[in-house]
Amino acid sequence: MTSATSFLFFAIHLACIRAGNSCKSFVKLECKTEYHGVYGQQLILGCIVKPMVENVTIKTVTWKRMGAAAKDDANLLEYHRDKMDLTPGFTFAEPSWNKNNMNVSLLLTNTKMADKGVYECMVNTDRGDTTATISLSVTAKYKTPTMSSIPETNIKENTDVTIFCNSTGGHQTGLIWWFDQFGSNWTRSAELVAKETDDGLFSLSSKFTVLKATSSYTNYTCKVLNVNGAEEGMASFVIQFAPRDLGSKADHLGIVSTTKWLTPVVVIGSLIIGLLAALLLFKRRSAQRARRQSTFPLMSGHQTDTRHDQDVEAEGLNSDRN
């Protein structure tokens, strides 16, 4: 700092004291007045000290949240003469911050819904004091919904099926819309319950009952919308119907079981019948052969007698002729 600048600074500072005003004009705190945080993410509330003179040293920095929700004298960050007092979840944005660093921005390491509100940053230097306020709003998006049904699986045709769609994490009450596989909106037939959780977020639970459900309509979709109507999540669900031949499966198994023992019985029976037929045929042929053998001698003797008679008759004729 030059001698002229130093003389000017002290002259202005003396004038300010005589006027009964603080010399805040030598330092200025520049901060963005409004921030929008997202639940579960880091956020920096940016503030930078802008000195109007050289060689400014920071003595004290204090960050606090104002309003009815904040506790009295609950400073989130306080630096005073080389001593630091931090509330968990809050620190300087620059890890290696020191009293010569004019960047006094505040870092929120894990933004929560309770962090929304108005913040005040107060800086005291060897060249004067400065203060600024910042407004912080926090939003949170709903998570991807999960779906289930009652009954769960092997559902028969024309059975009433209740499908559930659940989502959490929104910062305001949202909506759940229902659609079938053809795009028809069934939201009016569904029931929705919204509850605020301990962390200041909301959970949504919706159920939709498909009356006399059939395998022609198996796919259903639920969409989660925020309070502004913007979609934040979607999930699809397929009703698990039982296979159509499940009812006759037992009969089929019975037929298969019967076939297993009936087949060898039929084979064995066929063999027995074949053997009996062969045996009967063999007996018939044996009987026929026996009959032929018994009648052959009789027929031979009959022929001999006939020839003898013919010879006798011939001899008698010859004697008569003589």
mmCIF file of all heavy atoms in Angstrom, residues 300-314:
data_model
loop_
_atom_site.group_PDB
_atom_site.id
_atom_site.type_symbol
_atom_site.label_atom_id
_atom_site.label_comp_id
_atom_site.label_asym_id
_atom_site.label_seq_id
_atom_site.Cartn_x
_atom_site.Cartn_y
_atom_site.Cartn_z
ATOM 1 N N SER A 300 -56.289 -148.888 -48.118
ATOM 2 C CA SER A 300 -55.445 -149.840 -48.866
ATOM 3 C C SER A 300 -56.077 -151.218 -48.897
ATOM 4 O O SER A 300 -56.122 -151.910 -49.927
ATOM 5 C CB SER A 300 -54.051 -149.914 -48.207
ATOM 6 O OG SER A 300 -53.433 -148.639 -48.244
ATOM 7 N N GLY A 301 -56.624 -151.723 -47.736
ATOM 8 C CA GLY A 301 -57.292 -153.022 -47.671
ATOM 9 C C GLY A 301 -58.505 -153.083 -48.540
ATOM 10 O O GLY A 301 -58.811 -154.095 -49.188
ATOM 11 N N HIS A 302 -59.264 -152.020 -48.613
ATOM 12 C CA HIS A 302 -60.463 -151.956 -49.435
ATOM 13 C C HIS A 302 -60.123 -152.098 -50.897
ATOM 14 O O HIS A 302 -60.815 -152.815 -51.655
ATOM 15 C CB HIS A 302 -61.193 -150.647 -49.149
ATOM 16 C CG HIS A 302 -62.420 -150.469 -49.989
ATOM 17 N ND1 HIS A 302 -63.573 -151.240 -49.796
ATOM 18 C CD2 HIS A 302 -62.668 -149.685 -51.063
ATOM 19 C CE1 HIS A 302 -64.487 -150.908 -50.709
ATOM 20 N NE2 HIS A 302 -63.926 -149.936 -51.488
ATOM 21 N N GLN A 303 -59.080 -151.547 -51.292
ATOM 22 C CA GLN A 303 -58.669 -151.655 -52.685
ATOM 23 C C GLN A 303 -58.252 -153.089 -53.021
ATOM 24 O O GLN A 303 -58.538 -153.628 -54.106
ATOM 25 C CB GLN A 303 -57.526 -150.681 -52.960
ATOM 26 C CG GLN A 303 -57.964 -149.225 -52.926
ATOM 27 C CD GLN A 303 -56.789 -148.300 -53.134
ATOM 28 O OE1 GLN A 303 -55.645 -148.788 -53.197
ATOM 29 N NE2 GLN A 303 -57.085 -147.009 -53.231
ATOM 30 N N THR A 304 -57.610 -153.843 -52.127
ATOM 31 C CA THR A 304 -57.161 -155.230 -52.346
ATOM 32 C C THR A 304 -58.332 -156.164 -52.543
ATOM 33 O O THR A 304 -58.360 -157.029 -53.437
ATOM 34 C CB THR A 304 -56.301 -155.709 -51.173
ATOM 35 O OG1 THR A 304 -55.197 -154.813 -51.022
ATOM 36 C CG2 THR A 304 -55.775 -157.127 -51.401
ATOM 37 N N ASP A 305 -59.398 -156.040 -51.685
ATOM 38 C CA ASP A 305 -60.589 -156.871 -51.778
ATOM 39 C C ASP A 305 -61.283 -156.652 -53.100
ATOM 40 O O ASP A 305 -61.816 -157.587 -53.714
ATOM 41 C CB ASP A 305 -61.538 -156.586 -50.625
ATOM 42 C CG ASP A 305 -60.921 -157.024 -49.291
ATOM 43 O OD1 ASP A 305 -59.960 -157.812 -49.322
ATOM 44 O OD2 ASP A 305 -61.371 -156.485 -48.221
ATOM 45 N N THR A 306 -61.308 -155.418 -53.557
ATOM 46 C CA THR A 306 -61.995 -155.115 -54.813
ATOM 47 C C THR A 306 -61.297 -155.799 -55.962
ATOM 48 O O THR A 306 -61.936 -156.375 -56.859
ATOM 49 C CB THR A 306 -62.039 -153.603 -55.040
ATOM 50 O OG1 THR A 306 -62.666 -152.972 -53.939
ATOM 51 C CG2 THR A 306 -62.769 -153.246 -56.323
ATOM 52 N N ARG A 307 -59.989 -155.766 -55.964
ATOM 53 C CA ARG A 307 -59.241 -156.422 -57.026
ATOM 54 C C ARG A 307 -59.460 -157.951 -56.990
ATOM 55 O O ARG A 307 -59.548 -158.645 -58.041
ATOM 56 C CB ARG A 307 -57.762 -156.114 -56.875
ATOM 57 C CG ARG A 307 -57.466 -154.668 -57.221
ATOM 58 C CD ARG A 307 -55.994 -154.394 -56.969
ATOM 59 N NE ARG A 307 -55.687 -152.991 -57.260
ATOM 60 C CZ ARG A 307 -54.481 -152.450 -57.063
ATOM 61 N NH1 ARG A 307 -53.456 -153.205 -56.576
ATOM 62 N NH2 ARG A 307 -54.293 -151.189 -57.356
ATOM 63 N N HIS A 308 -59.528 -158.568 -55.784
ATOM 64 C CA HIS A 308 -59.767 -160.016 -55.642
ATOM 65 C C HIS A 308 -61.101 -160.405 -56.235
ATOM 66 O O HIS A 308 -61.234 -161.429 -56.930
ATOM 67 C CB HIS A 308 -59.680 -160.408 -54.156
ATOM 68 C CG HIS A 308 -59.978 -161.853 -53.908
ATOM 69 N ND1 HIS A 308 -59.082 -162.899 -54.258
ATOM 70 C CD2 HIS A 308 -61.078 -162.467 -53.382
ATOM 71 C CE1 HIS A 308 -59.632 -164.071 -53.966
ATOM 72 N NE2 HIS A 308 -60.857 -163.821 -53.410
ATOM 73 N N ASP A 309 -62.151 -159.631 -55.983
ATOM 74 C CA ASP A 309 -63.486 -159.920 -56.508
ATOM 75 C C ASP A 309 -63.481 -159.864 -58.012
ATOM 76 O O ASP A 309 -64.124 -160.678 -58.691
ATOM 77 C CB ASP A 309 -64.513 -158.933 -55.955
ATOM 78 C CG ASP A 309 -64.707 -159.124 -54.455
ATOM 79 O OD1 ASP A 309 -64.357 -160.211 -53.942
ATOM 80 O OD2 ASP A 309 -65.179 -158.136 -53.763
ATOM 81 N N GLN A 310 -62.754 -158.873 -58.543
ATOM 82 C CA GLN A 310 -62.697 -158.736 -59.997
ATOM 83 C C GLN A 310 -62.019 -159.956 -60.610
ATOM 84 O O GLN A 310 -62.437 -160.483 -61.674
ATOM 85 C CB GLN A 310 -61.949 -157.453 -60.378
ATOM 86 C CG GLN A 310 -62.758 -156.189 -60.061
ATOM 87 C CD GLN A 310 -61.960 -154.934 -60.392
ATOM 88 O OE1 GLN A 310 -60.775 -155.063 -60.757
ATOM 89 N NE2 GLN A 310 -62.612 -153.793 -60.277
ATOM 90 N N ASP A 311 -61.011 -160.512 -59.996
ATOM 91 C CA ASP A 311 -60.311 -161.685 -60.517
ATOM 92 C C ASP A 311 -61.233 -162.908 -60.487
ATOM 93 O O ASP A 311 -61.245 -163.759 -61.426
ATOM 94 C CB ASP A 311 -59.054 -161.983 -59.696
ATOM 95 C CG ASP A 311 -57.999 -160.873 -59.896
ATOM 96 O OD1 ASP A 311 -58.099 -160.149 -60.918
ATOM 97 O OD2 ASP A 311 -57.085 -160.732 -59.020
ATOM 98 N N VAL A 312 -61.999 -163.061 -59.383
ATOM 99 C CA VAL A 312 -62.931 -164.207 -59.275
ATOM 100 C C VAL A 312 -63.948 -164.145 -60.363
ATOM 101 O O VAL A 312 -64.317 -165.166 -61.003
ATOM 102 C CB VAL A 312 -63.592 -164.237 -57.892
ATOM 103 C CG1 VAL A 312 -64.692 -165.294 -57.832
ATOM 104 C CG2 VAL A 312 -62.540 -164.493 -56.813
ATOM 105 N N GLU A 313 -64.540 -162.937 -60.592
ATOM 106 C CA GLU A 313 -65.557 -162.798 -61.641
ATOM 107 C C GLU A 313 -64.967 -163.123 -62.993
ATOM 108 O O GLU A 313 -65.599 -163.753 -63.866
ATOM 109 C CB GLU A 313 -66.103 -161.374 -61.634
ATOM 110 C CG GLU A 313 -66.976 -161.095 -60.399
ATOM 111 C CD GLU A 313 -67.488 -159.654 -60.404
ATOM 112 O OE1 GLU A 313 -67.106 -158.900 -61.333
ATOM 113 O OE2 GLU A 313 -68.222 -159.257 -59.471
ATOM 114 N N ALA A 314 -63.747 -162.720 -63.239
ATOM 115 C CA ALA A 314 -63.132 -162.999 -64.552
ATOM 116 C C ALA A 314 -62.933 -164.480 -64.758
ATOM 117 O O ALA A 314 -63.148 -165.039 -65.861
ATOM 118 C CB ALA A 314 -61.795 -162.280 -64.649
#
